[in-house]
Amino acid sequence: MGRGKIEVKRIENNTSRQVTFSKRRSGLLKKTHELSVLCDAQIGLIVFSNKGKLYEYTTHPLSMTEIIDKYLKVTGSRIPQPNNKEQMRSELSRMKKETLNLQLSLQRYKGDDLSSAQLQELNQLEQQLEYSVQKVRARKLQLLQQQVDNLQRTEKVLEKENEAMYQWASLMSKQQEEINQQQVATMTELKLVGQEHQLFEHFPFYGSSEENHNINVLQLDANLPELQLQSYNQYRIQPAQPNLQESTSDAQHNIYIW
């Protein structure tokens, strides 16, 4: 069963047309290369896509210029050379005219040389200036909004940094307060231990254990009144001039000066 005939006409779908062009171009270049190799033919192929992209093939080692020159020699035709002087004159006059128009437009935008302008030209100039002012204001507002957004982001960052620093300062303050409390407690303990050692130096006791220590302290508390009484008896002062005529019972009640 043979292949159906395809109607040769322009493909309307852009995607399908591009796919078909790629496939047919590859096949054409392949057939051209095969013809050049098999038949030892000198071939030059030039293909332009609908977008203006160039695809070409030439038989090795010839170039496209050599093949075109050979074609011109064989056919006896010539590529027409343009008149460069005339083209340059026309191009120069065109550029001068465009330059004058631009200078005039710039002067009118500045408000100079409006005496020769007609009413329609002035209306167009006014509309152009208003449109330009709107664009300038829109760009200005855009820049201002960007600056405001940047400032708001900077403010948020600074607030976060400030909050972090405040938390760090609070933590350091608490730690310092705890260290101070520990130092005060340590100093108090050291003072108590120093007083206890001083007490042990005045009243030495036997035994080094904690139980003996507690017993010795209790013994010291119990013996304090007796020790005080002994010390008082040692320093008892007799009357300077005793009355010998007093009875023995009255002599026993002498006044002691403590």
Side-chain angles (χ1 to χ4, degrees), residues 29-208:
L29 293 174
K30 182 179 178 181
K31 293 296 183 181
T32 304
H33 175 69
E34 291 176 355
L35 179 62
S36 175
V37 173
L38 293 174
C39 302
D40 194 19
Q42 298 177 356
I43 303 174
L45 175 65
I46 299 175
V47 180
F48 285 97
S49 66
N50 58 349
K51 295 182 179 180
K53 190 173 182 179
L54 172 65
Y55 301 92
E56 63 179 3
Y57 174 83
T58 56
T59 303
H60 185 75
L62 299 176
S63 64
M64 186 61 67
T65 304
E66 293 175 347
I67 290 177
I68 292 174
D69 290 340
K70 189 173 183 180
Y71 169 78
L72 294 176
K73 288 179 181 179
V74 172
T75 59
S77 59
R78 294 180 58 188
I79 298 176
Q81 298 292 332
N83 190 355
N84 293 332
K85 292 183 178 180
E86 187 67 26
Q87 184 178 2
M88 290 178 63
R89 288 176 182 175
S90 61
E91 185 69 18
L92 183 61
S93 61
R94 184 184 65 81
M95 292 179 64
K96 285 182 178 180
K97 186 176 180 180
E98 289 182 356
T99 303
L100 291 174
N101 291 332
L102 289 174
Q103 290 178 352
L104 182 60
S105 298
L106 288 175
Q107 290 178 358
R108 288 180 177 178
Y109 278 128
K110 294 179 181 179
D112 300 333
D113 195 14
L114 296 176
S115 58
S116 60
Q118 301 296 325
L119 180 60
Q120 185 177 0
E121 293 177 355
L122 292 175
N123 289 331
Q124 292 178 357
L125 180 61
E126 184 180 6
Q127 292 177 0
Q128 291 176 358
L129 290 174
E130 289 179 354
Y131 179 71
S132 301
V133 169
Q134 290 177 0
K135 291 180 66 175
V136 170
R137 288 175 179 173
R139 179 57 180 170
K140 181 180 177 182
L141 292 175
Q142 184 180 2
L143 293 175
L144 290 175
Q145 186 63 35
Q146 290 178 358
Q147 292 180 359
V148 170
D149 294 339
N150 293 332
L151 290 174
Q152 289 178 353
R153 286 194 293 268
T154 305
E155 182 182 3
K156 291 180 180 179
V157 171
L158 292 176
E159 286 179 355
K160 290 181 179 179
E161 291 180 355
N162 190 14
E163 184 178 359
M165 291 180 65
Y166 177 76
Q167 293 178 357
W168 177 80
S170 300
L171 181 60
M172 293 298 294
S173 178
K174 290 181 181 178
Q175 291 180 355
Q176 187 65 31
E177 186 177 356
E178 292 177 357
I179 292 171
N180 292 335
Q181 291 178 357
Q182 291 178 0
Q183 290 179 354
V184 171
T186 304
M187 294 297 295
T188 305
E189 291 179 359
L190 291 175
K191 288 181 180 180
L192 293 175
V193 171
Q195 293 176 359
E196 187 175 354
H197 282 298
Q198 291 178 0
L199 184 62
F200 289 161
E201 289 177 358
H202 288 87
F203 303 99
F205 303 100
Y206 293 99
S208 59

Side-chain angles (χ1 to χ4, degrees), residues 213-239:
H213 174 267
N214 294 330
I215 294 171
N216 293 331
V217 172
L218 292 174
Q219 290 177 356
L220 175 62
D221 293 338
N223 294 329
L224 277 176
E226 184 177 356
L227 293 173
Q228 290 176 358
L229 182 59
Q230 291 178 3
S231 62
Y232 295 156
N233 291 330
Q234 290 178 2
Y235 295 100
R236 183 177 60 188
I237 299 175
Q238 299 294 335

